Amino acid sequence: MAVADTQNPLLGESTCSSLLQKLQQIWDEVGESDEERDRMLLQIEKECLDVYKRKVEQAAKSRAQLLQALSDSKVELSSLSSALGEKSFVGIPEETSGTIKEQLAAIAPALEQLWEQKEERVKEFSDVQSQIQKICEEIAGSLNLSDKPPAVDETDLSLKKFDEYQAHLQELQKEKSDRLHKVLEFVSTVHDLCAVLGMDFFSTVTEVHPSLNDSTGVQSKSISNDTLSRLAKTVLALKEDKKQRLQKLQELATQLIDLWNLMDTPAEERRLFDHVTCNISASVDEVTVPGALALDLIEQAEVEVERLDQLKASRMKEIAFKKQGELEEIFARAHVEIDPVAAREKIMTLIDSGNIEPTELLADMDNQIANAKEESLSRKDILDKVEKWMSACEEESWLEDYNRDENRYNASRGAHLNLKRAEKARILVNKIPALVDTLVAKTRTWEEERGLSFTYDGVPLLAMLDEYAMLRQEREEEKRRMKESKKFQELQSTEQENIFGSKPSPARPAGTKKVVGPRANGGGGANGTPSRRLSLNQNGSRSASAVKDGRRDSARLAAPVNYVAISKEDTASHVSGTDPIPASP
């Protein structure tokens, strides 16, 4: 082995050569043998070789570690790129070259950047998944009180996967918004219904879910399926309760109005219950006033109805007689004859006996009134024509009197008015036969449909019409006989004048001028006015004048009075020389 310089002047430190040279000097001074020197040098070389081997092993181990780190970095880089969905990453050469450390140095920045990106993605995924989990828990109604975030699948952090989570989150947010809107609508409906029904709104919604009560300070409302279902059931229950209460209130209002009308309750007392009667015809949706269907209001109406019922029982006779009066008025207008005295005595007996409830009696009388109105309606058409017939008969009676007046054409005061009336009367009288025929046909149809006899104030109408037709025929016969008698008298008077000469007729005394108007002797039967003979009045208790008193004006009373008073036997005595009816006045 060559001996190096003892000291390196450049380094200023000991080297292997200088140390070996110094060892050589020491051996020389000591006088070591060559064998010993060779042995010691071999030992030194062996020890140096061991040091080199250790260093090589360390270097190889370090290289292996670097290669493993490079491999791990490449695998991690590939894994991160795959997880993040990055097919290629800027800054990493596709084919790496150079030393291991150079390759590691080239990969390190990209790897660090991918790690930062992964951490951001994990945080974003965790945030989105946390929102999704929270909304799902709200919808399910099972909120997780733990603050532990949901686990993120770090093997797939791609933007595509993130977009899927975002889309799912948006769908859930929309569903949450829709559910919240629906919940608020239900709560608003419950509020309105509770206001109308006079119920405590907060206690009602708190029973559904505490979060619905704003006074509790809970920020988020429950939007779970259970909450929506319970809200829907609550709304249905409140609507049904509202419907039943309105029906009950309307029944009470109807009873109140009926009782008020029955007992003539003053308007001041009625106005106290305007809040009850104002909804008598309202629909369920129209009732929106707060407290309009409160239980205390319904109870108040029930108490008032009960009070009026008790008062009605004490005034039963007065109320029953009032209804009886209404019934009698309906029959009187329909010209149906009844016995009011017997009916009132029967009512008195029923009330005094106590065998019938007041409500039953009034209900029975209401049924009688309804039936009477129905019968009156069925008789209306015939009664209208009877009125026209009687009016025409009155005009016929007046026309007969007018035609008997010898001074009817004199220029006296009011003569032109009588002349106009006579023209109209002749037109009306000519319609009487057709009117009578129509009346007979309608009356027979009415009787056939009902199997009853149509009576007018207790007298069969067909009998009245038959008698009128008979009297009219007798009148025509009487007129014909009077005309023949007059012609015979005129013929005899002419013959006497030819034999004895004409003789002046005696002068008429002054003041004997005849007044045109209804006949004072009531001779209606002779001129065809309808005569209600006493033989036809089966009850014998009422006359036409009594029936029609107070219902017909004074101008139309003349014919019915004559009609009742005159019989066929008296007809001839009231017929004087009747002039034929001229074609025109």
Side-chain angles (χ1 to χ4, degrees):
M1 178 182 295
V3 178
D5 296 336
T6 305
Q7 188 172 6
N8 189 347
L10 297 175
L11 299 175
E13 59 182 7
S14 298
T15 63
C16 290
S17 298
S18 64
L19 290 174
L20 183 59
Q21 186 178 2
K22 190 173 182 179
L23 184 59
Q24 291 275 359
Q25 291 176 358
I26 293 173
W27 284 342
D28 290 336
E29 291 178 2
V30 172
E32 289 287 343
S33 63
D34 294 335
E35 292 83 3
E36 184 66 20
R37 291 184 180 186
D38 292 338
R39 186 186 63 78
M40 291 181 67
L41 288 174
L42 289 173
Q43 184 179 356
I44 292 171
E45 288 180 357
K46 184 179 179 181
E47 289 178 355
C48 288
L49 183 61
D50 291 339
V51 171
Y52 276 111
K53 285 182 178 179
R54 288 197 301 271
K55 292 299 182 182
V56 169
E57 289 176 355
Q58 290 178 357
K61 185 177 180 180
S62 177
R63 183 187 64 181
Q65 291 176 347
L66 289 174
L67 288 173
Q68 184 64 39
L70 180 62
S71 176
D72 292 343
S73 297
K74 289 182 178 180
V75 171
E76 187 175 2
L77 185 65
S78 175
S79 176
L80 288 174
S81 299
S82 176
L84 295 173
E86 302 289 345
K87 295 181 179 180
S88 61
F89 191 82
V90 179
I92 301 176
E94 294 184 359
E95 295 183 359
T96 58
S97 60
T99 64
I100 298 174
K101 289 186 177 180
E102 288 175 351
Q103 294 181 35
L104 280 173
I107 292 175
L111 192 61
E112 183 178 358
Q113 187 175 354
L114 287 176
W115 268 110
E116 292 177 356
Q117 189 173 351
K118 178 183 178 181
E119 289 178 357
E120 291 178 0
R121 288 278 180 88
V122 169
K123 184 178 179 181
E124 290 174 352
F125 270 77
S126 178
D127 183 38
V128 171
Q129 289 181 231
S130 297
Q131 296 182 54
I132 291 174
Q133 179 180 347
K134 183 179 179 181
I135 296 176
C136 289
E137 290 174 352
E138 289 178 356
I139 293 174
S142 57
L143 289 176
N144 188 4
L145 300 178
S146 176
D147 295 334
K148 184 178 179 181
V152 179
D153 182 12
E154 296 185 3
T155 61
D156 189 358
L157 299 174
S158 62
L159 291 176
K160 180 180 179 182
K161 187 68 174 179
F162 185 74
D163 290 339
E164 290 178 0
Y165 278 116
Q166 285 279 23
H168 184 43
L169 177 61
Q170 290 178 0
E171 291 177 359
L172 290 174
Q173 287 175 340
K174 183 178 183 304
E175 183 178 356
K176 178 181 178 179
S177 176
D178 295 341
R179 284 172 173 262
L180 182 61
H181 182 68
K182 198 169 184 179
V183 166
L184 294 178
E185 283 185 349
F186 275 133
V187 171
S188 177
T189 304
V190 171
H191 179 273
D192 295 341
L193 290 171
C194 287
V196 174
L197 298 174
M199 298 173 61
D200 186 4
F201 163 70
F202 291 111
S203 63
T204 302
V205 294
T206 303
E207 290 179 1
V208 176
H209 197 278
S211 67
L212 303 179
N213 189 346
D214 293 334
S215 62
T216 59
V218 179
Q219 297 297 326
S220 60
K221 307 292 183 185
S222 175
I223 58 172
S224 65
N225 293 330
D226 181 64
T227 300
L228 285 171
S229 176
R230 296 181 67 181
L231 275 174
K233 291 179 180 178
T234 301
V235 169
L236 287 176
L238 291 174
K239 285 185 176 180
E240 182 63 24
D241 194 12
K242 179 182 178 182
K243 179 181 178 181
Q244 293 178 358
R245 289 194 190 185
L246 178 60
Q247 184 177 359
K248 177 67 175 176
L249 191 69
Q250 289 176 341
E251 291 175 357
L252 292 171
T254 302
Q255 294 176 24
L256 281 175
I257 292 175
D258 292 341
L259 290 169
W260 288 339
N261 295 336
L262 201 61
M263 295 182 286
D264 292 330
T265 303
E268 294 77 10
E269 187 175 343
R270 299 188 185 196
R271 277 196 291 270
L272 297 176
F273 290 88
D274 282 348
H275 55 291
V276 176
T277 57
C278 65
N279 293 321
I280 191 170
S281 59
S283 63
V284 176
D285 296 332
E286 291 174 346
V287 181
T288 57
V289 178
L293 299 177
L295 285 176
D296 56 349
L297 186 146
I298 295 177
E299 292 174 358
Q300 179 185 4
E302 288 176 341
V303 170
E304 180 65 11
V305 168
E306 184 177 357
R307 184 186 74 83
L308 292 176
D309 275 334
Q310 294 175 356
L311 182 62
K312 179 184 71 174
S314 63
R315 297 174 56 187
M316 194 61 207
K317 291 182 181 179
E318 177 185 347
I319 297 170
F321 286 156
K322 180 180 178 182
K323 286 188 174 291
Q324 179 62 26
E326 182 181 353
L327 184 63
E328 292 171 5
E329 184 179 353
I330 293 171
F331 280 131
R333 286 199 300 267
H335 293 277
V336 176
E337 192 173 58
I338 61 173
D339 188 355
V341 176
R344 291 174 183 268
E345 289 178 355
K346 182 179 179 181
I347 291 173
M348 289 282 291
T349 304
L350 287 173
I351 295 175
D352 293 339
S353 66
N355 294 330
I356 186 171
E357 290 292 332
T359 53
E360 294 180 6
L361 177 60
L362 294 180
D364 180 65
M365 297 192 72
D366 287 336
N367 289 334
Q368 294 182 37
I369 291 173
N371 293 335
K373 288 180 178 179
E374 184 178 352
E375 182 177 354
S376 176
L377 186 63
S378 71
R379 295 166 60 91
K380 186 177 184 303
D381 188 25
I382 296 177
L383 290 176
D384 290 344
K385 286 183 170 48
V386 169
E387 291 294 319
K388 291 180 180 179
W389 171 53
M390 289 186 174
S391 177
C393 290
E394 290 175 11
E395 290 300 301
E396 185 181 28
S397 176
W398 179 87
L399 186 60
E400 286 293 331
D401 288 336
Y402 178 77
N403 289 333
R404 288 192 186 91
D405 186 8
E406 296 177 356
N407 299 320
R408 62 182 178 275
Y409 299 123
N410 293 345
S412 59
R413 184 178 181 182
H416 66 289
L417 297 178
N418 288 333
L419 186 60
K420 289 183 179 180
R421 180 178 176 181
E423 292 177 356
K424 294 180 180 179
R426 290 189 185 97
I427 296 172
L428 188 59
V429 168
N430 290 334
K431 295 179 180 180
I432 290 179
L435 183 59
V436 171
D437 292 342
T438 303
L439 258 177
V440 170
K442 286 186 174 292
T443 304
R444 285 176 177 168
T445 302
W446 188 92
E447 292 181 347
E448 290 173 359
E449 289 177 352
R450 290 163 179 77
L452 299 173
S453 175
F454 190 100
T455 60
Y456 186 92
D457 293 334
V459 181
L461 182 58
L462 288 178
M464 291 168 59
L465 294 171
D466 290 343
E467 185 172 0
Y468 170 77
M470 181 180 63
L471 292 175
R472 189 178 181 89
Q473 186 177 1
E474 290 179 357
R475 185 200 66 172
E476 296 297 333
E477 291 291 332
E478 187 67 24
K479 280 185 177 182
R480 186 182 58 79
R481 288 195 299 270
M482 292 298 294
K483 286 181 180 180
E484 291 177 355
S485 176
K486 186 175 182 180
K487 288 181 180 180
F488 180 72
Q489 290 176 2
E490 289 177 353
L491 182 59
Q492 285 184 341
S493 177
T494 303
E495 291 176 354
Q496 289 179 1
E497 287 178 0
N498 290 335
I499 297 173
F500 302 104
S502 60
K503 178 166 70 167
S505 60
R508 176 178 294 177
T512 60
K513 185 176 180 180
K514 199 170 184 183
V515 180
V516 176
R519 283 166 292 176
N521 59 5
N527 55 39
T529 303
S531 174
R532 207 169 301 167
R533 295 170 56 123
L534 295 179
S535 60
L536 292 177
N537 193 336
Q538 298 171 357
N539 293 327
S541 59
R542 303 176 68 184
S543 65
S545 60
V547 173
K548 299 173 71 176
D549 185 22
R551 301 189 203 99
R552 304 275 298 275
D553 55 61
S554 59
R556 297 178 61 186
L557 281 174
V561 173
N562 295 336
Y563 175 54
V564 174
I566 303 302
S567 64
K568 288 193 296 181
E569 289 78 10
D570 300 331
T571 303
S573 62
H574 295 287
V575 179
S576 61
T578 304
D579 297 333
I581 300 174
S584 61

